[in-house]
């Protein structure tokens, strides 16, 4: 007979920016700034992502689109690939992601796509240390995940090869 496996994921829901700690607040502010740099003439959906590194520095990314649509890249991956290319040995302490429509000033819930979760999982696995993820939630709130693995249960890593 089949046994049932239940997965529990608990996240913190912060109702407003004041409930974030100072580094989270700065990371989210920078992500909101980074969204302005998105090159998104096709979707007009601006995404900003910030990585807080172990030395206290931040690395930003934004979505970069292309007339050949699949050639574009999400904000999370521009940040992660750019960071890893420039600082291959630095650990990531936090990923912050936000999004908005070009014509609006308010930010929208920013749920990373599956491919971005997979790329986040690669770096979490590489650094042997959890990476908390802070996402813009609804109505000015924020979702704090304790680790990338909470965003992608049953994830695939080099351990599976
Ligand atoms: N996008 C991101 O930047 N991150 C995600 O996780 C989801 C989608 C971008 C890709 C594209 O430029 C636009 O949002 C619309 O899909």
């Amino acid at each position: 007979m089949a046994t049932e496996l239940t997965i529990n994921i608990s996240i913190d829901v912060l109702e407003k920016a004041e409930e974030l700690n100072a580094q989270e607040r700065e990371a989210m502010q920078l992500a909101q700034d980074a969204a302005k740099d998105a090159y998104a003439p096709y979707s007009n959906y601006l995404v900003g992502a910030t990585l807080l590194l172990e030395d206290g520095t931040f690395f930003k990314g934004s979505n970069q689109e292309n007339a050949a649509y699949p050639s574009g890249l999400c904000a999370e991956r521009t940040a992660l690939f750019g960071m890893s290319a420039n600082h291959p040995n630095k650990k990531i302490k936090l990923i912050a992601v936000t999004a908005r429509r070009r014509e609006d000033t308010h930010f929208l819930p920013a749920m990373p796509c599956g491919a971005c979760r997979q790329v986040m999982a690669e770096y979490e696995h590489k650094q042997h240390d959890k990476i908390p993820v802070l996402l813009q939630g609804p109505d000015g709130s924020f979702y704090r995940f304790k680790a990338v693995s909470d965003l992608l249960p049953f994830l695939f890593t080099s351990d599976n090869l």
Side-chain angles (χ1 to χ4, degrees), residues 140-154:
S141 70
F142 303 94
Y143 291 168
R144 182 198 285 135
F145 290 76
K146 292 171 183 66
V148 172
S149 50
D150 287 345
L151 276 162
L152 191 61
F154 301 106

PDB file of all heavy atoms in Angstrom, residues 140-154:
ATOM      1  N   GLY A 140       1.954  44.930  -0.710  1.00  0.00           N
ATOM      2  CA  GLY A 140       3.082  45.525   0.024  1.00  0.00           C
ATOM      3  C   GLY A 140       3.721  44.591   1.041  1.00  0.00           C
ATOM      4  O   GLY A 140       4.594  45.012   1.800  1.00  0.00           O
ATOM      5  N   SER A 141       3.319  43.326   1.030  1.00  0.00           N
ATOM      6  CA  SER A 141       3.904  42.375   1.986  1.00  0.00           C
ATOM      7  C   SER A 141       5.131  41.694   1.363  1.00  0.00           C
ATOM      8  O   SER A 141       5.454  41.922   0.180  1.00  0.00           O
ATOM      9  CB  SER A 141       2.867  41.320   2.390  1.00  0.00           C
ATOM     10  OG  SER A 141       2.609  40.459   1.299  1.00  0.00           O
ATOM     11  N   PHE A 142       5.781  40.880   2.168  1.00  0.00           N
ATOM     12  CA  PHE A 142       6.963  40.141   1.706  1.00  0.00           C
ATOM     13  C   PHE A 142       6.889  38.718   2.229  1.00  0.00           C
ATOM     14  O   PHE A 142       6.406  38.485   3.339  1.00  0.00           O
ATOM     15  CB  PHE A 142       8.244  40.823   2.222  1.00  0.00           C
ATOM     16  CG  PHE A 142       8.344  42.259   1.789  1.00  0.00           C
ATOM     17  CD1 PHE A 142       7.893  43.275   2.621  1.00  0.00           C
ATOM     18  CD2 PHE A 142       8.836  42.595   0.538  1.00  0.00           C
ATOM     19  CE1 PHE A 142       7.940  44.606   2.221  1.00  0.00           C
ATOM     20  CE2 PHE A 142       8.887  43.915   0.117  1.00  0.00           C
ATOM     21  CZ  PHE A 142       8.437  44.925   0.970  1.00  0.00           C
ATOM     22  N   TYR A 143       7.375  37.790   1.405  1.00  0.00           N
ATOM     23  CA  TYR A 143       7.458  36.390   1.821  1.00  0.00           C
ATOM     24  C   TYR A 143       8.928  36.049   2.029  1.00  0.00           C
ATOM     25  O   TYR A 143       9.738  36.228   1.110  1.00  0.00           O
ATOM     26  CB  TYR A 143       6.897  35.459   0.743  1.00  0.00           C
ATOM     27  CG  TYR A 143       5.401  35.528   0.522  1.00  0.00           C
ATOM     28  CD1 TYR A 143       4.831  34.906  -0.588  1.00  0.00           C
ATOM     29  CD2 TYR A 143       4.552  36.185   1.414  1.00  0.00           C
ATOM     30  CE1 TYR A 143       3.458  34.947  -0.802  1.00  0.00           C
ATOM     31  CE2 TYR A 143       3.177  36.223   1.204  1.00  0.00           C
ATOM     32  CZ  TYR A 143       2.640  35.606   0.093  1.00  0.00           C
ATOM     33  OH  TYR A 143       1.285  35.638  -0.128  1.00  0.00           O
ATOM     34  N   ARG A 144       9.257  35.543   3.194  1.00  0.00           N
ATOM     35  CA  ARG A 144      10.641  35.143   3.463  1.00  0.00           C
ATOM     36  C   ARG A 144      10.720  33.616   3.532  1.00  0.00           C
ATOM     37  O   ARG A 144      10.144  33.004   4.437  1.00  0.00           O
ATOM     38  CB  ARG A 144      11.134  35.749   4.775  1.00  0.00           C
ATOM     39  CG  ARG A 144      12.594  35.414   5.084  1.00  0.00           C
ATOM     40  CD  ARG A 144      12.895  35.648   6.556  1.00  0.00           C
ATOM     41  NE  ARG A 144      13.020  37.046   6.927  1.00  0.00           N
ATOM     42  CZ  ARG A 144      12.438  37.577   8.034  1.00  0.00           C
ATOM     43  NH1 ARG A 144      11.698  36.838   8.829  1.00  0.00           N
ATOM     44  NH2 ARG A 144      12.619  38.851   8.329  1.00  0.00           N
ATOM     45  N   PHE A 145      11.411  33.031   2.544  1.00  0.00           N
ATOM     46  CA  PHE A 145      11.656  31.582   2.531  1.00  0.00           C
ATOM     47  C   PHE A 145      13.011  31.330   3.184  1.00  0.00           C
ATOM     48  O   PHE A 145      13.961  32.079   2.949  1.00  0.00           O
ATOM     49  CB  PHE A 145      11.686  31.046   1.092  1.00  0.00           C
ATOM     50  CG  PHE A 145      10.343  31.047   0.415  1.00  0.00           C
ATOM     51  CD1 PHE A 145       9.781  32.224  -0.053  1.00  0.00           C
ATOM     52  CD2 PHE A 145       9.641  29.870   0.244  1.00  0.00           C
ATOM     53  CE1 PHE A 145       8.540  32.232  -0.676  1.00  0.00           C
ATOM     54  CE2 PHE A 145       8.394  29.856  -0.378  1.00  0.00           C
ATOM     55  CZ  PHE A 145       7.844  31.046  -0.831  1.00  0.00           C
ATOM     56  N   LYS A 146      13.109  30.273   3.955  1.00  0.00           N
ATOM     57  CA  LYS A 146      14.366  30.006   4.669  1.00  0.00           C
ATOM     58  C   LYS A 146      15.456  29.486   3.737  1.00  0.00           C
ATOM     59  O   LYS A 146      16.637  29.602   4.026  1.00  0.00           O
ATOM     60  CB  LYS A 146      14.118  28.995   5.787  1.00  0.00           C
ATOM     61  CG  LYS A 146      13.246  29.574   6.889  1.00  0.00           C
ATOM     62  CD  LYS A 146      12.817  28.526   7.890  1.00  0.00           C
ATOM     63  CE  LYS A 146      11.894  29.141   8.942  1.00  0.00           C
ATOM     64  NZ  LYS A 146      10.602  29.602   8.362  1.00  0.00           N
ATOM     65  N   ALA A 147      15.068  28.893   2.631  1.00  0.00           N
ATOM     66  CA  ALA A 147      16.045  28.303   1.710  1.00  0.00           C
ATOM     67  C   ALA A 147      15.429  28.146   0.326  1.00  0.00           C
ATOM     68  O   ALA A 147      14.198  28.052   0.196  1.00  0.00           O
ATOM     69  CB  ALA A 147      16.483  26.934   2.222  1.00  0.00           C
ATOM     70  N   VAL A 148      16.289  28.092  -0.691  1.00  0.00           N
ATOM     71  CA  VAL A 148      15.805  27.848  -2.053  1.00  0.00           C
ATOM     72  C   VAL A 148      15.085  26.507  -2.120  1.00  0.00           C
ATOM     73  O   VAL A 148      14.073  26.356  -2.813  1.00  0.00           O
ATOM     74  CB  VAL A 148      16.988  27.878  -3.055  1.00  0.00           C
ATOM     75  CG1 VAL A 148      16.533  27.445  -4.438  1.00  0.00           C
ATOM     76  CG2 VAL A 148      17.622  29.263  -3.089  1.00  0.00           C
ATOM     77  N   SER A 149      15.601  25.528  -1.363  1.00  0.00           N
ATOM     78  CA  SER A 149      15.000  24.183  -1.414  1.00  0.00           C
ATOM     79  C   SER A 149      13.529  24.213  -0.984  1.00  0.00           C
ATOM     80  O   SER A 149      12.758  23.339  -1.380  1.00  0.00           O
ATOM     81  CB  SER A 149      15.800  23.208  -0.548  1.00  0.00           C
ATOM     82  OG  SER A 149      16.016  23.757   0.734  1.00  0.00           O
ATOM     83  N   ASP A 150      13.131  25.221  -0.206  1.00  0.00           N
ATOM     84  CA  ASP A 150      11.711  25.344   0.164  1.00  0.00           C
ATOM     85  C   ASP A 150      10.858  25.820  -1.016  1.00  0.00           C
ATOM     86  O   ASP A 150       9.638  25.639  -1.023  1.00  0.00           O
ATOM     87  CB  ASP A 150      11.545  26.324   1.332  1.00  0.00           C
ATOM     88  CG  ASP A 150      12.023  25.728   2.652  1.00  0.00           C
ATOM     89  OD1 ASP A 150      12.211  24.497   2.711  1.00  0.00           O
ATOM     90  OD2 ASP A 150      12.200  26.494   3.613  1.00  0.00           O
ATOM     91  N   LEU A 151      11.502  26.472  -1.980  1.00  0.00           N
ATOM     92  CA  LEU A 151      10.786  26.934  -3.181  1.00  0.00           C
ATOM     93  C   LEU A 151      10.720  25.842  -4.252  1.00  0.00           C
ATOM     94  O   LEU A 151      10.001  25.987  -5.239  1.00  0.00           O
ATOM     95  CB  LEU A 151      11.511  28.139  -3.794  1.00  0.00           C
ATOM     96  CG  LEU A 151      11.226  29.513  -3.225  1.00  0.00           C
ATOM     97  CD1 LEU A 151      12.333  30.474  -3.639  1.00  0.00           C
ATOM     98  CD2 LEU A 151       9.892  30.033  -3.710  1.00  0.00           C
ATOM     99  N   LEU A 152      11.533  24.820  -4.084  1.00  0.00           N
ATOM    100  CA  LEU A 152      11.635  23.780  -5.108  1.00  0.00           C
ATOM    101  C   LEU A 152      11.831  22.416  -4.456  1.00  0.00           C
ATOM    102  O   LEU A 152      12.943  21.876  -4.426  1.00  0.00           O
ATOM    103  CB  LEU A 152      12.806  24.097  -6.055  1.00  0.00           C
ATOM    104  CG  LEU A 152      12.916  23.281  -7.327  1.00  0.00           C
ATOM    105  CD1 LEU A 152      11.690  23.447  -8.209  1.00  0.00           C
ATOM    106  CD2 LEU A 152      14.163  23.680  -8.106  1.00  0.00           C
ATOM    107  N   PRO A 153      10.757  21.863  -3.894  1.00  0.00           N
ATOM    108  CA  PRO A 153      10.888  20.537  -3.283  1.00  0.00           C
ATOM    109  C   PRO A 153      11.288  19.487  -4.326  1.00  0.00           C
ATOM    110  O   PRO A 153      11.006  19.658  -5.515  1.00  0.00           O
ATOM    111  CB  PRO A 153       9.476  20.246  -2.746  1.00  0.00           C
ATOM    112  CG  PRO A 153       8.785  21.564  -2.709  1.00  0.00           C
ATOM    113  CD  PRO A 153       9.396  22.384  -3.809  1.00  0.00           C
ATOM    114  N   PHE A 154      11.931  18.449  -3.889  1.00  0.00           N
ATOM    115  CA  PHE A 154      12.402  17.365  -4.773  1.00  0.00           C
ATOM    116  C   PHE A 154      13.308  17.909  -5.876  1.00  0.00           C
ATOM    117  O   PHE A 154      13.231  17.486  -7.022  1.00  0.00           O
ATOM    118  CB  PHE A 154      11.226  16.599  -5.397  1.00  0.00           C
ATOM    119  CG  PHE A 154      10.319  15.968  -4.373  1.00  0.00           C
ATOM    120  CD1 PHE A 154       9.073  16.499  -4.114  1.00  0.00           C
ATOM    121  CD2 PHE A 154      10.727  14.846  -3.664  1.00  0.00           C
ATOM    122  CE1 PHE A 154       8.237  15.930  -3.160  1.00  0.00           C
ATOM    123  CE2 PHE A 154       9.893  14.271  -2.712  1.00  0.00           C
ATOM    124  CZ  PHE A 154       8.645  14.806  -2.455  1.00  0.00           C
TER     125      PHE A 154
END
